[in-house]
Amino acid sequence: LNDENPDIELDCTNMEYTSSQGLRIFLMLQKSVNQHKGKMVMKNMKSQVKEVFDITGFSSIINIL
């Protein structure tokens, strides 16, 4: 993450749940990537997990495919 333009792709296939602490970590990671002019994407997210991201507004902050 300390290099310029870090590109991170998170495969969420096995993610069944995220807590508020997990959301906080994803937010911190996204902010760090943004500061270093990189891109982060989360893919293969299950609908019940995506719903949590939608309700909390994280879907507008983090690129979810």
Side-chain angles (χ1 to χ4, degrees):
L1 287 176
N2 294 326
D3 296 335
E4 286 299 308
N5 304 313
D7 291 331
I8 297 176
E9 182 177 287
L10 300 172
D11 185 350
C12 302
T13 301
N14 295 319
M15 187 165 66
E16 301 284 336
Y17 167 83
T18 187
S19 65
S20 59
Q21 182 64 28
L23 289 171
R24 183 173 179 264
I25 289 170
F26 290 129
L27 181 61
M28 289 172 40
L29 179 59
Q30 181 66 65
K31 285 182 177 182
S32 180
V33 168
N34 289 348
Q35 287 175 348
H36 291 93
K37 300 179 180 118
K39 296 177 186 166
M40 183 174 98
V41 63
M42 298 178 80
K43 64 178 194 171
N44 302 320
M45 189 177 286
K46 290 181 170 62
S47 61
Q48 70 267 22
V49 177
K50 172 93 167 57
E51 186 176 352
V52 172
F53 278 76
D54 292 341
I55 290 170
T56 58
F58 277 63
S59 296
S60 63
I61 299 168
I62 298 171
N63 188 14
I64 301 172
L65 300 179

